[in-house]
Amino acid sequence: MMIGGDFGSGVWLWWAVGALVSVGWLVLVVALIGLVLRAILRTGDRYQGPPQARGPDPLSILRERFARGEISKEEFEEAKRILGY
């Protein structure tokens, strides 16, 4: 008769399987959290707020004013230089 009882070698096998299953769940949970965070961060990069109302290009306005005769060629060239075109 053995003191403490004999659980047999099968107990160690079940302990090893239980440990692997626990580690598997941990990996799965960490992977899911990572995927959720990645999705949140990627959508955050693309969001730039509400669209801004952009007016016409300054050079286009300048060309239109020149075409209508509102400004002279010298004024057109000076304004274009000031605007950096």
Side-chain angles (χ1 to χ4, degrees), residues 1-6:
M1 185 182 260
M2 299 185 87
I3 299 174
D6 182 17

Side-chain angles (χ1 to χ4, degrees), residues 3-76:
I3 299 174
D6 182 17
F7 294 107
S9 61
V11 169
W12 298 107
L13 176 64
W14 285 110
W15 179 83
V17 169
L20 286 174
V21 169
S22 296
V23 170
W25 278 109
L26 181 64
V27 168
L28 181 64
V29 168
V30 169
L32 287 174
I33 290 172
L35 287 173
V36 168
L37 287 176
R38 182 178 178 199
I40 290 170
L41 293 175
R42 291 192 72 171
T43 56
D45 291 342
R46 283 186 259 143
Y47 181 72
Q48 299 175 354
Q52 301 294 326
R54 292 192 52 164
D57 180 40
L59 187 58
S60 299
I61 296 171
L62 199 57
R63 286 180 177 151
E64 288 176 15
R65 290 188 65 201
F66 179 68
R68 286 194 298 258
E70 295 176 8
I71 57 174
S72 67
K73 182 177 179 181
E74 293 78 22
E75 291 172 320
F76 173 78

